Amino acid sequence: MRTLVLGGIRSGKSRWAEEIMAGESSLRYVATGAPADSDPAWAQRVAAHRDRRPASWSSIETTNVAALLHAGPHTATLVDDLGGWLTAALDRRGWDGGSVAADVDELVDAVDGFCAPLVLVSPEVGLTVVAATASARRFTDELGTLNQRLAQCCEQVVLVVAGLPIWVKPTKALN
């Protein structure tokens, strides 16, 4: 089962994703966020995420998500979050016109071929005003496209609002 979990900033999407994976005895938690070296507020957020994870989960901090998924398609995995992954891809390719299409294709291919339970956490960017800067517009455009492509290959898509799930693409009727 592949699940895409969308939500706004501080919507509870990460916590909700962690809760639905809590039953996995062994889980690979892939954190894509930037290192928290120089920003105390960011360091607090990262620490809060780390503190919530059960000791039985292995944590990997990387933006090389596609390679990780290809290398271990039978290992239950939670990726948090794709906004960090996209930022790293744009940093590598260039914010002023460098294409991330190959990176997106590679990630979507890895997700599409994944066999074990997989939860992908991603910001939902379509619920706000159009950004004022070129780089912010680029990020929202690229993330919107990525989310749409992943929604097509995931069996479930959930939008988390105020910590509560709204099933956008359920695989079956829910009780």
Side-chain angles (χ1 to χ4, degrees):
M1 180 73 61
R2 294 166 298 204
T3 304
L4 176 61
V5 179
L6 302 170
I9 296 169
R10 309 302 276 176
S11 64
K13 63 188 175 295
S14 295
R15 183 181 301 274
W16 189 87
E18 292 162 3
E19 288 172 3
I20 67 166
M21 295 299 273
E24 296 292 330
S25 59
S26 176
L27 182 101
R28 177 176 51 188
Y29 189 107
V30 181
T32 67
D37 300 335
S38 63
D39 182 346
W42 181 250
Q44 280 186 314
R45 284 182 183 229
V46 170
H49 278 249
R50 283 184 185 138
D51 292 345
R52 285 197 312 251
R53 296 178 208 153
S56 62
W57 292 3
S58 67
S59 294
I60 302 168
E61 295 179 2
T62 184
T63 57
N64 199 357
V65 176
L68 202 65
L69 295 179
H70 278 304
H74 302 289
T75 303
T77 302
L78 190 158
V79 178
D80 191 9
D81 87 13
L82 295 176
W85 174 85
L86 179 61
T87 298
L90 286 164
D91 286 347
R92 276 193 317 276
R93 303 293 183 196
W95 285 82
D96 295 327
S99 177
V100 294
D103 300 89
V104 170
D105 289 345
E106 182 183 27
L107 179 61
V108 171
D109 180 61
V111 169
D112 197 38
F114 203 78
C115 307
L118 174 64
V119 173
L120 305 164
V121 178
S122 187
E124 175 50 53
V125 294
L127 301 174
T128 187
V129 298
V130 176
T133 66
S135 59
R137 285 190 301 274
R138 171 93 193 271
F139 179 81
T140 57
D141 289 349
E142 296 287 358
L143 188 59
T145 298
L146 174 64
N147 286 345
Q148 289 177 48
R149 291 202 47 207
L150 289 171
Q152 294 302 309
C153 66
C154 287
E155 289 84 11
Q156 298 182 135
V157 179
V158 178
L159 175 65
V160 177
V161 178
L164 301 173
I166 300 169
W167 292 88
V168 177
K169 182 181 178 183
T171 57
K172 58 184 176 182
L174 301 172
N175 297 335

